[in-house]
Amino acid sequence: MSREMLRFEHLAAGYGEKDIIKDVSFSVEEGDFAGLIGSNGAGKSTLIKCISGLLPVRSGNIYICGKENSLLKHRERARLVAVVPQSYHVDYDFLVEDIVMMGRNPYLSLRHKENERDMEIVRNAMEATNTEIFQGRLYNELSGGERQRVILARAIAQEPQIILLDEPTSALDIHHQIEVMELITRLNKEKNMTVLAVLHDINMASRFCKRLIMLKDGHIMADGTPETVINRQNMEELYQMKLLIHTNPLFRKPEIVPLRVMDTEKCPSPLHIHVICGASEASQIIEELDSRGYRITAGVVNVDSDDWMVCRSLHLPMVEIPPFTPVTDESQHKNLKMMEDADIILVASVPFGMGNLKNLDGLENLNGQIFFHKNSLSSDYTDGALVKRLEEIGEHKKITYFGDHDEFLSMLDKIHTTD
């Protein structure tokens, strides 16, 4: 059974008369790498300040390694918990090794000065963070990413059982963000270090954290693995914006794709638009039409394509088939059934081969207006069969060709005007 390192019982804390943290309860076990996520003002940094003793709690309790936090002396707490802040500034010119040696302060006193063991711990901490190359340099001469590695080395030299990270990468470029997070991950894995990190970057938190605790308005909104916490409902409620969720193909972790905060102009009437797609070029127009309030369906779509991912994320009805498989009679029958009452049939920019040409079968028998993206003609791999099929459809009903999605949206506006 894992050892409990942190426990919060009905915690409340804040500033002035305002409560920021409200009745928060959870625990963190040994070796966990937990990320605190949430919008600004949700209480993430406030929670870190309560643990480190910088902010008194108003009610409830915090237990660190089984000991009540309010009863711990500063030196005793510092031997259990180290804090890596967003940034650390010093007014005087300290050497890098002096900054790292400050991590030994909880173990030193007027009688007990640093000894060879302390020096060895500092050397090991600098080697673990690749900061030994800065030895002999002044801390204030380093870049932001270099300083953050030094502060992490100081935390390691503190020999804590828990590391608290308060937005440790927010002021860094992407190279140094990844570097710091990889260092923390190595500590977590190799030394079984317990980590509780405040992170603004959801995708970074998803990639590196084993567990995510989502705060909103001072309360815990969700708690679990990145796969269970990062979903469209949670993220849109938290950030009040439209976004998509997809799985990063390299790390197999969920990632958010922010779409829009401001509402788009809604369509005057909720026309049913069926989109014939299946690759990647229709993703943008599908999202745009959905945001305008149109009733969108799609098909036949190959699973794992970008178009499929967007339709799934937006919970749009679609006819789907496995990747790299041709459209079958059965799937096209479902496709035609789905667009029976469609006002508009949009053939988006999609490459056509013999495997998906069947997507166009039966369109001449439908009532909806047909709009065809000209790009598909330049992505024709059917040896002329696509053009022949369009001519056959055109003998029975009009096909309106357009050059880009903005032109199609303008055509939609004209349809509403004439209606």
Side-chain angles (χ1 to χ4, degrees):
M1 184 175 178
S2 298
R3 178 187 173 198
E4 188 178 73
M5 305 300 287
L6 286 170
R7 186 166 86 250
F8 305 87
E9 293 183 346
H10 306 291
L11 192 70
Y15 310 92
E17 297 182 356
K18 184 178 180 181
D19 278 347
I20 304 297
I21 296 291
K22 307 164 187 176
D23 194 26
V24 165
S25 298
F26 69 95
S27 62
V28 178
E29 295 184 344
E30 186 176 19
D32 206 352
F33 189 160
L36 289 170
I37 61 174
S39 56
N40 290 334
K44 306 181 299 296
S45 295
T46 299
L47 195 62
I48 296 295
K49 290 178 181 178
C50 291
I51 302 170
S52 58
L54 296 176
L55 182 68
V57 302
R58 291 179 173 171
S59 62
N61 294 298
I62 301 175
Y63 294 89
I64 302 176
C65 300
K67 302 177 181 179
E68 189 173 341
N69 193 28
S70 61
L71 301 179
L72 292 173
K73 294 181 179 179
H74 177 74
R75 185 182 294 269
E76 186 179 6
R77 183 186 299 111
R79 293 181 179 183
L80 297 174
V81 179
V83 180
V84 177
Q86 180 178 347
S87 59
Y88 181 74
H89 302 282
V90 293
D91 295 327
Y92 302 99
D93 286 335
F94 285 97
L95 294 173
V96 166
E97 52 266 38
D98 293 333
I99 296 291
V100 181
M101 182 59 75
M102 291 177 185
R104 300 304 300 158
N105 286 347
Y107 304 91
L108 306 177
S109 64
L110 291 175
R111 286 200 227 168
H112 300 90
K113 302 292 184 179
E114 61 264 23
N115 54 31
E116 183 55 37
R117 180 176 181 276
D118 295 307
M119 298 295 290
E120 182 181 359
I121 290 171
V122 167
R123 283 194 297 270
N124 292 338
M126 294 180 71
E127 287 177 6
T129 54
N130 196 27
T131 53
E132 74 277 11
I133 59 175
F134 305 139
Q135 194 162 357
R137 293 182 59 184
L138 295 175
Y139 173 79
N140 286 333
E141 292 179 349
L142 302 181
S143 69
E146 292 167 345
R147 291 185 189 185
Q148 200 68 338
R149 282 158 52 194
V150 171
I151 298 308
L152 186 56
R154 184 187 66 176
I156 297 171
Q158 204 169 316
E159 290 191 311
Q161 297 188 47
I162 304 164
I163 286 186
L164 305 178
L165 306 160
D166 192 0
E167 300 180 32
T169 62
S170 61
L172 306 180
D173 60 42
I174 187 64
H175 172 93
H176 292 102
Q177 287 179 25
I178 297 298
E179 182 179 41
V180 168
M181 294 304 294
E182 286 178 343
L183 286 171
I184 295 164
T185 301
R186 187 193 304 168
L187 285 174
N188 173 251
K189 290 181 177 179
E190 296 179 0
K191 298 183 179 295
N192 201 34
M193 184 77 71
T194 303
V195 180
L196 181 62
V198 172
L199 296 168
H200 262 307
D201 189 324
I202 298 297
N203 293 340
M204 193 79 72
S206 175
R207 174 177 169 179
F208 288 101
C209 296
K210 301 174 184 176
R211 170 189 177 192
L212 295 179
I213 302 161
M214 182 185 298
L215 294 177
K216 183 183 180 185
D217 299 329
H219 297 282
I220 293 179
M221 180 179 166
D223 184 351
T225 64
E227 291 77 8
T228 58
V229 172
I230 300 177
N231 57 59
R232 189 178 172 206
Q233 180 179 348
N234 281 346
M235 295 294 105
E236 289 191 349
E237 183 178 346
L238 183 65
Y239 293 110
Q240 298 298 301
M241 66 178 296
K242 191 169 185 179
L243 46 79
L244 295 180
I245 308 291
H246 74 102
T247 300
N248 184 295
L250 288 177
F251 308 114
R252 308 308 302 171
K253 293 294 185 70
E255 289 186 343
I256 66 169
V257 180
L259 296 179
R260 61 183 81 247
V261 174
M262 299 177 66
D263 289 334
T264 54
E265 184 179 349
K266 298 300 181 182
C267 63
S269 58
L271 299 177
H272 174 192
I273 301 177
H274 183 86
V275 185
I276 293 177
C277 54
S280 61
E281 298 301 318
S283 301
Q284 183 178 356
I285 190 63
I286 289 172
E287 190 281 323
E288 176 77 18
L289 293 172
D290 178 72
S291 70
R292 292 188 177 202
Y294 291 102
R295 183 162 70 91
I296 307 300
T297 55
V300 176
V301 188
N302 288 100
V303 172
D304 289 334
S305 67
D306 290 347
D307 294 346
W308 174 84
M309 183 272 291
V310 169
C311 290
R312 187 186 66 163
S313 298
L314 296 174
H315 303 289
L316 302 179
M318 59 179 163
V319 179
E320 54 188 356
I321 57 175
F324 310 111
T325 58
V327 178
T328 63
D329 290 336
E330 180 184 2
S331 57
Q332 181 59 9
H333 177 73
K334 293 178 181 177
N335 200 26
L336 290 170
K337 194 74 177 171
M338 186 171 282
M339 57 178 122
E340 270 183 347
D341 66 340
D343 301 290
I344 291 172
I345 300 161
L346 169 62
V347 183
S349 176
V350 56
F352 273 98
M354 298 309 296
N356 67 336
L357 185 62
K358 193 178 286 291
N359 263 331
L360 304 181
D361 286 358
L363 264 60
E364 61 267 38
N365 300 320
L366 300 173
N367 293 324
Q369 299 181 58
I370 300 175
F371 290 82
F372 190 96
H373 200 306
K374 293 178 183 177
N375 279 1
S376 293
L377 293 173
S378 51
S379 301
D380 177 10
Y381 303 98
T382 65
D383 195 24
L386 172 62
V387 173
K388 183 179 179 181
R389 184 73 194 93
L390 291 173
E391 290 174 349
E392 292 171 350
I393 296 172
E395 291 176 359
H396 299 275
K397 65 183 305 174
K398 179 183 177 182
I399 301 176
T400 302
Y401 293 87
F402 62 94
D404 57 41
H405 288 140
D406 287 338
E407 184 180 349
F408 172 70
L409 292 173
S410 297
M411 291 176 175
L412 272 183
D413 292 337
K414 291 179 181 178
I415 290 173
H416 290 303
T417 301
T418 55
D419 287 349

